[in-house]
Each structure stands twice: as structure tokens, then as C-alpha cells.
Amino acid sequence: MTQSSAPPAAAAARVHAAAPPRKPRAPLSWRYRGAVAARSFAAIVVGYFFAYAFTAFASMALPFSRVDSVIAASLLSFFVWAAVAMYAFAARSAWRACWAPAAIAALLFWAAKLCGALALFPGSAPPAA
């Protein structure tokens, strides 16, 4: 039997047998795992609240009719959520990945309330004179 007529499994076994053994990987520390978990929390949960705050603000601030503003803000919120998720994994620290979007989301909620988001915040209506 010649080498060219050998079954492919036998040829593959010879190639893998000749490969050098891999170096074992160092185990991941709990600090690293915690940082990844915090960034995942920031990307998912804080990103959701940021997108919701953006939707509340943009639905009041966009110069369209009320229905068109809500639809446009809702569609844009998916891009905002994706941007916050990317920021969560690009931030310098896991702490900054959590608090920076949360602070901006709080500002957006405050701006939405200031713009007169009566539908979202029913108790914010000024008293009738």
C-alpha cells in the first residue's frame, strides 16, 4: 500500500501525532471572572435601562407627531443598547462600565421628565390654576 492510497484517517493521525503538545493554560482568576460578570451585567441590565431612558427622552424631544416620535425612538433604542453593550466591554474598568451609563440614564430620565413626559410620569403634571 502506497502513501497516496492510505486512508485519510490514518494520514490525519500521523499529522496529529507529530504536533507538539500544547502548553497548559493558566486558570482564570475569580477577579477576572467577576470583572467579566460585572461587564455583562452592565451590557445587559444597565444597557436596557439606558435604552429605556433614551426612548423616554427621544419620544419627547423628537420633532415628529407623538406616534412617529415613539416609533422612531423605539427603533433607535436598539442601536443605543448595542452601543452601551460595546462600551461596557471597552471601558477601562468594570466599575466605570456600570456607573457611567447608569448616570447618563438618570440624566436622560430627568430630562424626559423635564420635557413634560406626562404619559410616562403621571404625577409630574403641574397643578391646574
Side-chain angles (χ1 to χ4, degrees), residues 57 105-115 121:
F57 174 72
L107 288 174
L108 283 172
F109 274 126
W110 176 77
K113 187 171 183 175
L114 193 66
C115 286
F121 307 98

Side-chain angles (χ1 to χ4, degrees), residues 43-62:
I44 297 168
V45 177
V46 177
Y48 175 80
F49 286 120
F50 190 97
Y52 180 72
F54 172 81
T55 304
F57 174 72
S59 65
M60 301 311 310
L62 287 175

Side-chain angles (χ1 to χ4, degrees), residues 118 121-128:
L118 298 176
F121 307 98
S124 66

Side-chain angles (χ1 to χ4, degrees), residues 84-106:
V84 171
M86 285 188 281
Y87 172 77
F89 287 96
R92 282 189 221 157
S93 67
W95 172 247
R96 184 176 288 190
C98 289
W99 74 262
I104 296 171

